[in-house]
Amino acid sequence: MEHASQQLWLIPLLPLLGFLINGLFGRRFPNLLVGLIAVGTVFGSFLWVVKSLQALGALEHAHVEHYYTWLESGNLNIGVDLMIDRLTAVMLLVVTGIGTLIHIYATGYMSHEGGFYRFFAYLNLFMFFMLTLVLGANYLMVFVGWEGVGLCSYLLIGFYTLKKSAGDAAKKAFIVNRIGDFGFTLAMFLMFVHFGSFDFKTVFDKVAPMAVEQTAGPLTWIALLLFVGAAGKSAQIPLYVWLPDAMEGPTPVSALIHAATMVTAGVYMVARSSVIFLRAPEAMDVVAVVGLATAVMAATIGLAQNDIKKVFAYSTVSQLGYMFLACGVGAFSAGIYHVVTHAFFKALLFLGAGSVIHALEGEQDMRHMGGLMSKIPITFAVLACAWVAIAGVPPFAGFYSKDEILLAAHHHHPWMYWVGVATAAMTAFYVSRAMFMTFFGKYRGHHHPHESPFVMWGPLAVLAVLSLAGGWYFKIPHFLEPLFPLAEGAHDETLVYISVAAGAAGIGLAWLFYVASPALPDSIANSLGGLYKLVYNKYFVDEAYNAAIVNPLVNGSRSLLWRVMDAGVIDGAVNGVGSLSRSIGGFVRLFQSGNIRSYAAWVTLGCVAVLVALGMAGGR
Amino acid sequence: MPSAVPVSWYLILSAILFGLGVAGFLFRRNIITVFMSIELMLNAVNLSLVAFSYQHNQTDGHIFSFFVMVVAAAEAAVGLAIILTVFKNRSTLAIDDVSSLKN
């Protein structure tokens, strides 16, 4: 059934309007007005999403709106097309809904910071690009949004322009993302070669009748290259290194971009391309294994971090690994389910952490926290909701989605299930550790904690409710069934009990270590020695990358490109031309003595020479 | 009138006169001598023009040499005026000393 145009363009354009107003005139506006414009435009998008979805009804088929032909060349025709289907609907609601909450929170969190208008201009621009990414009806539109959110991520990580570490982290995020984008671009080229189009519908219609590839063919390559792009954006091995550093940005940015929305763009893109991935089983295996490896690795690193935001950053990497595991084993709806629940509880964890940091005037090291439960009770209460949600305690949000993923993994390969369960136990452990170190025991810092204002804990309360009830209330896999058929296989109760028990064990162990006998972790760390050091230093991955890639590149650029190529060849050629003409001029200058008689002598000599030459040539 | 003197003799005389003029121009330092050398070169050319004109029975060379004389007269008027002024201002006629435009 065809629906009338819903003016979908309004959804991304409202935040763009906010960006333009705040970016151009925000400097002169009072903070209150800047905040109102930023929050208002994003909330307007949310309302328009809700209104469009109501008008579109059940969304049995994708609703596409064509506005403008962007590129037309030969048989290539790319339009500015926006599309809503059930997958887009889920993502739209998450992006605009959580985006609105985080914007509201940020008006409180950023109230004491300089560059208030700049922050909200960037944040609104991010919303514009993210909504373009989600709404785009062809790969090129998605790519526009994809690059745009990368740019905004860069701008916001480096928001504290005076901090060198923030600038370095921003550059790192941007450069690592470019590697992924390169894969995405190559995937699009291949797609154009094989299908002659970037349009979702056209490409998927051409792919659908194709057979499942038994050996690596074009679909496998396209899928793998798309996954390279997704691995860059969604921080998977080996491109995950930028996300922990991205925590240099303000905390609302960490919550919105680096936990809830942008980093899930890779999962969205893989799920969107499920038609391609399902016909490339080898690529699917790569996705699953990389996802699982990332989940385990990041979780182990998270065990030993002391910076509260770093813990949650590695947790994000780990949970993204879970999402890719789900996609890799064919349970795309479970992956998107986890995107949604993760957006709830991870945004809450970050915003709660931001509230703690705000209360302690910038302190991020958990060793200087502790005993905050009585001092900032509301923050503790909302963070506790996120805690039970991510730890997989039934019946809260994380339990449902993680359960779906683990069951699908078990159905695919039982060993993936067991590794996933071990990761779930570690997840429960490190989040509990963070909670115990922050809120239990005795206060170890020297600031005077104060509770955050209502604009900050109000959104937290909403997210807390979503974290508690979101998994049970939103039946995402069921809603997505027309797009991703539910995996067959019996719902094995035992497996559920095992994963819940693993989560409980993680929480219990953390309680034992950090509340019951606080001396225990140190002695264990000492007895493990090298292993602890390895994990504490994040497996030395950054150092290895620096030694293997960054330093050779820098040194090579310095010695070959700079000293030899630039200074030697290019500068040498330019300077050589200059000094050559100088020396020729210096010689020729001698003839121009200013003495008329010497000129006359030269003329005479010249005449004589001509005459002699004529005579030699026979007088002609 | 069959000439007893062949044209080549006129041309040789003309070349000798021209060479003297060039040598005077190049090697003498007095401005008036240099000026006279220029006149000598002009008249050497006039001589060869007239000689060729006579050989070919054409008047072009005669007319041309009149033009040269007119120009030479005008040149003499202007040139001598300049030389007089230079002498008045600098009390010298050495050509190498009149070089204030150089540098």
Side-chain angles (χ1 to χ4, degrees), chain A residues 464-535:
Chain A
V465 172
L466 288 170
S467 298
L468 292 181
W472 160 79
Y473 186 74
F474 300 116
K475 298 260 184 289
I476 306 280
H478 186 70
F479 180 68
L480 292 177
E481 212 176 336
L483 290 167
F484 312 116
L486 289 180
E488 71 275 24
H491 195 80
D492 195 337
E493 298 280 322
T494 332
L495 299 177
V496 179
Y497 291 137
I498 292 173
S499 64
V500 170
I507 299 177
L509 212 58
W511 187 80
L512 178 67
F513 276 17
Y514 294 96
V515 180
S517 52
L520 209 53
D522 283 339
S523 64
I524 289 180
N526 285 337
S527 63
L528 283 176
L531 192 64
Y532 176 77
K533 228 175 206 144
L534 188 68
V535 172

Side-chain angles (χ1 to χ4, degrees), chain A residues 279-323:
Chain A
R279 281 160 187 75
E282 291 182 3
M284 290 283 274
D285 284 342
V286 170
V287 174
V289 170
V290 168
L292 194 58
T294 311
V296 176
M297 184 178 179
T300 54
I301 297 175
L303 295 176
Q305 296 304 307
N306 288 321
D307 183 324
I308 188 168
K309 282 179 78 182
K310 281 275 161 76
V311 174
F312 295 152
Y314 280 105
S315 165
T316 306
V317 177
S318 172
Q319 299 298 309
L320 289 166
Y322 261 115
M323 297 169 203

Side-chain angles (χ1 to χ4, degrees), chain A residues 592-598 600-602 604, chain B residues 22 25-29 34 95-96 99 102:
Chain A
Q592 237 167 7
S593 58
N595 186 341
I596 290 183
R597 284 186 303 166
S598 80
W602 284 114
T604 315
Chain B
V22 167
F25 182 84
L26 287 181
F27 301 122
R28 300 310 292 259
R29 302 187 61 201
V34 169
I95 198 163
D96 293 333
S99 59
K102 199 171 155 187

Side-chain angles (χ1 to χ4, degrees), chain A residues 118-187:
Chain A
R118 189 162 59 90
F119 179 82
F120 280 100
Y122 291 163
L123 218 53
N124 271 3
L125 185 65
F126 167 78
M127 291 302 287
F128 163 70
F129 281 122
M130 188 70 206
L131 291 168
T132 311
L133 193 163
V134 171
L135 277 168
N138 55 53
Y139 278 99
L140 212 62
M141 286 293 284
V142 170
F143 192 67
V144 169
W146 188 270
E147 292 295 299
V149 292
L151 167 72
C152 294
S153 163
Y154 164 81
L155 290 171
L156 284 164
I157 295 170
F159 179 74
Y160 296 123
T161 44
L162 296 180
K163 263 169 77 184
K164 182 171 186 318
S165 57
D168 288 345
K171 277 187 279 182
K172 185 173 180 181
F174 200 77
I175 293 168
V176 173
N177 263 298
R178 294 237 61 79
I179 301 173
D181 296 345
F182 184 60
F184 194 170
T185 324
L186 287 183

Side-chain angles (χ1 to χ4, degrees), chain B residues 12 16 18 20-21 24 32 38 45 47 52 58 73 85 91 99:
Chain B
I12 290 167
I16 291 169
F18 191 84
L20 287 173
I32 292 178
I38 294 171
V45 173
L47 179 59
F52 280 125
Q58 282 180 341
T85 320
S91 318
S99 59

Side-chain angles (χ1 to χ4, degrees), chain B residues 37-54:
Chain B
S37 304
I38 294 171
E39 296 297 319
L40 192 58
M41 285 190 275
L42 286 172
N43 284 311
V45 173
N46 276 349
L47 179 59
S48 57
L49 283 174
V50 171
F52 280 125
S53 189
Y54 176 78

